[in-house]
Amino acid sequence: MILVVGGAGYIGSHTVKQLLDQNFEVVVLDNLSTGHRESVDERALLEIGDLSNAADLDRVFGKYSIDAVMHFAANSLVGESVSNPLKYYKNNVTATITLLEKMMEHGVKSFIFSSTAATYGIPDTDIITEGTLTNPINPYGRSKLMIEHILQDFHAAYGMKYVVLRYFNAAGAHVSGTIGEDHTPETHLIPLVLQHLLGKRESISVFGTDYDTNDGTCIRDYIHVTDLAEAHILALQSLQNEQKSNEVYNLGNGKGFSVKEVIETCEHVTGKKANVIHTERRAGDPAQLIASSEKIYEELGWKAKYSLEEMIQTAWEWHTAHPNGYSK
Ligand code: UDP
């Protein structure tokens, strides 16, 4: 049985579906603070509880025979992490330590951790490899990197086996159209553009047009949520086969798209014209973040399959079918 903590969230719910499709048994632990009960596949068991609560963890580890834990539950808004760092250190660091402690108490030693490109900060290279210096510039990135360091120590001292996956910009929705992205507030570029094109927002703002990039807007590496889910399963299998034990992998497409290119692709996919407004830079945005995912390709055979068009197409199908997200 695989325990998916935060399995009612965006990336967690897609991974749960994929695990079930590949015949894994899944129990989800989620406090539903930002996740959605409706996003959890009916084939999964759902335990409502909090990973910061030792009693909730004891209950789940006592009730099921857990082989491995995937941990998606975290706060992930950069701006909020700057204004409320305590929330990030409590929910992303302290709570994860409680989870790791309970795993060890219950003899569970395989862990897959959701980390982020934000651990790199402003990279000193065009293409980011796992060897690129980590130097996060906000509490969100720091909270994730702290856990990465803790995992190294727990591996050395207690034999914890783990894979860290550093996501770049997750996008898209499941091809079935049944699950997708539903954040409150929504802060991500692609859902914001699509909500605007659906008539739910007046315009789309481009945060900064004076970056040192081809068209002056920020470049990001967008990766389909189903590709992310697939990487989790390969990582899990590599732990189970004892192929790998303490590894860090980037997950991206290896291609960068500017904010302008993303908006143009949304217009192309939907056949609608966006009302684009140019505004100031958003604090803490590096000009360019592009991943090299060569390492996970070479070691686990993972490669992104979906294009930017396909990310936007699947996201558009989700948003048009669920204009108000999960709340109908
Ligand atoms: N962005 C933008 N307008 C928006 C939201 C985002 O121009 O309304 C830009 C943002 O500055 C960044 C890129 O789009 O360069 C992706 O931002 P997002 O918040 O989706 O992901 P992040 O890169 O912060 O993880």
Side-chain angles (χ1 to χ4, degrees):
M1 176 81 76
I2 310 301
L3 173 61
V4 181
V5 182
Y10 173 44
I11 303 169
S13 61
H14 285 76
T15 306
V16 166
K17 210 181 235 322
Q18 201 113 330
L19 281 165
L20 293 162
D21 287 346
Q22 297 192 27
N23 297 320
F24 288 94
E25 289 184 312
V26 176
V27 56
V28 168
L29 174 67
D30 203 296
N31 66 6
L32 301 180
S33 64
T34 56
H36 305 275
R37 184 188 286 269
E38 304 86 331
S39 73
V40 180
D41 193 295
E42 281 172 3
R43 294 167 292 171
L45 299 160
L46 174 61
E47 293 283 342
I48 311 292
D50 204 305
L51 78 145
S52 64
N53 182 331
D56 284 350
L57 294 172
D58 277 332
R59 173 167 55 86
V60 171
F61 283 111
K63 192 164 161 189
Y64 305 100
S65 172
I66 308 287
D67 304 305
V69 176
M70 292 188 180
H71 178 28
F72 296 91
N75 295 117
S76 59
L77 300 178
V78 166
E80 182 188 54
S81 81
V82 174
S83 57
N84 191 2
L86 182 60
K87 178 174 175 182
Y88 281 70
Y89 293 121
K90 268 184 155 166
N91 291 348
N92 294 0
V93 182
T94 311
T96 302
I97 293 172
T98 306
L99 173 63
L100 292 171
E101 189 179 6
K102 284 293 160 191
M103 280 177 63
M104 288 185 305
E105 252 178 66
H106 291 270
V108 182
K109 292 206 159 179
S110 294
F111 189 65
I112 303 203
F113 181 59
S114 304
S115 189
T116 168
T119 53
Y120 294 107
I122 299 173
D124 56 4
T125 170
D126 284 347
I127 306 289
I128 300 171
T129 69
E130 294 79 357
T132 300
L133 182 73
T134 47
N135 188 16
I137 54 167
N138 52 60
Y140 168 60
R142 278 193 278 275
S143 72
K144 289 290 184 177
L145 190 60
M146 281 177 193
I147 296 297
E148 291 194 16
H149 290 154
I150 289 168
L151 287 171
Q152 281 173 11
D153 294 339
F154 280 27
H155 171 75
Y158 313 128
M160 174 72 73
K161 296 189 298 170
Y162 67 88
V163 174
V164 166
L165 298 173
R166 291 184 181 148
Y167 313 155
F168 281 63
N169 289 59
H174 195 267
V175 286
S176 64
T178 54
I179 53 174
E181 195 165 4
D182 179 3
H183 296 121
T184 307
E186 187 52 77
T187 61
H188 296 109
L189 179 63
I190 291 175
L192 287 174
V193 178
L194 296 180
Q195 286 172 357
H196 161 55
L197 294 174
L198 261 182
K200 296 188 67 70
R201 294 176 189 272
E202 297 263 294
S203 58
I204 181 73
S205 299
V206 174
F207 298 151
T209 52
D210 58 350
Y211 284 96
D212 184 17
T213 58
N214 278 347
D215 64 20
T217 67
C218 284
I219 293 176
R220 292 288 178 275
D221 181 331
Y222 296 87
I223 175 80
H224 197 285
V225 63
T226 299
D227 280 326
L228 292 181
E230 191 58 39
H232 285 77
I233 292 173
L234 292 174
L236 173 67
Q237 288 167 334
S238 80
L239 286 181
Q240 289 182 326
N241 303 336
E242 301 193 350
Q243 189 188 344
K244 293 285 163 194
S245 63
N246 51 329
E247 290 293 344
V248 178
Y249 297 113
N250 285 342
L251 295 179
N253 245 299
K255 289 192 203 86
F257 291 94
S258 73
V259 173
K260 275 191 184 162
E261 287 171 327
V262 169
I263 295 173
E264 281 161 18
T265 310
C266 288
E267 290 180 326
H268 173 71
V269 166
T270 63
K272 293 172 184 285
K273 186 93 193 90
N275 175 22
V276 180
I277 294 175
H278 294 170
T279 63
E280 290 299 298
R281 290 181 177 200
R282 184 173 69 176
D285 269 339
Q288 171 172 310
L289 292 173
I290 304 176
S292 159
S293 299
E294 277 301 303
K295 184 180 172 204
I296 190 165
Y297 176 63
E298 277 164 22
E299 297 189 6
L300 303 186
W302 178 89
K303 206 173 183 169
K305 294 194 181 94
Y306 289 84
S307 66
L308 182 67
E309 280 80 5
E310 289 167 318
M311 289 178 229
I312 292 171
Q313 181 63 41
T314 51
W316 181 240
E317 282 159 18
W318 158 256
H319 285 289
T320 46
H322 304 85
N324 300 314
Y326 288 102
S327 55
K328 307 311 174 267

